[in-house]
Amino acid sequence: MAVRAVRGAVQLERDEAGHMEEQVGALLTAVLERNELHLDDLISIWFTATPDLHSDFPAAAARKLGIVDVPLICAQELDIEGAMPRVVRLLAHIESDRPRSDIAHVYLGAAAALRKDIAQ
């Protein structure tokens, strides 16, 4: 089985913990479903959040979804002038037999504009 990486992002409407939990949960669920993944397929997940998000850790949403024995880390995205605000990104390392070209990267809502080349 190969190690693959899956990218994803979602833009939050507001900086509130409950909203972050809902939106990051939706992003994780979409990544799992679109790539036909089970929790045992996850190796690790790296989350970044733009500097304007302060209400909670994106990884907290993963824990509430039952992702409890997978290493997770959160970091702050670079503060680039003109960048899309209130964005949580993820990079998940997975075990999969899918070819790299068949991995479904997930960009929800307005975040789809970030990577039109790979968003599905």
Side-chain angles (χ1 to χ4, degrees):
M1 184 135 345
V3 173
R4 300 285 184 225
V6 183
R7 289 288 317 267
V10 63
Q11 183 183 39
L12 306 184
E13 294 175 16
R14 58 194 175 280
D15 184 22
E16 294 176 2
H19 181 60
M20 181 179 291
E21 178 184 333
E22 174 187 299
Q23 294 300 304
V24 173
L27 176 61
L28 284 165
T29 299
V31 165
L32 293 171
E33 288 177 355
R34 292 183 193 178
N35 289 288
E36 299 175 1
L37 297 171
H38 302 283
L39 296 184
D40 287 344
D41 298 324
L42 296 173
I43 297 170
S44 64
I45 305 174
W46 182 286
F47 294 94
T48 65
T50 51
D52 52 1
L53 294 174
H54 308 279
S55 62
D56 204 356
F57 295 100
R63 297 293 185 220
K64 290 182 180 174
L65 280 178
I67 302 173
V68 296
D69 62 350
V70 173
L72 308 175
I73 193 165
C74 297
Q76 188 174 79
E77 191 72 34
L78 293 173
D79 190 10
I80 304 297
E81 188 174 325
M84 184 179 287
R86 300 177 317 281
V87 175
V88 174
R89 293 171 172 85
L90 70 77
L91 174 65
H93 298 97
I94 63 169
E95 292 180 332
S96 176
D97 287 327
R98 286 177 176 232
R100 186 177 293 144
S101 60
D102 287 351
I103 298 296
H105 304 283
V106 180
Y107 289 78
L108 299 180
L114 295 171
R115 289 298 306 265
K116 292 178 184 176
D117 58 324
I118 64 172
Q120 298 182 11

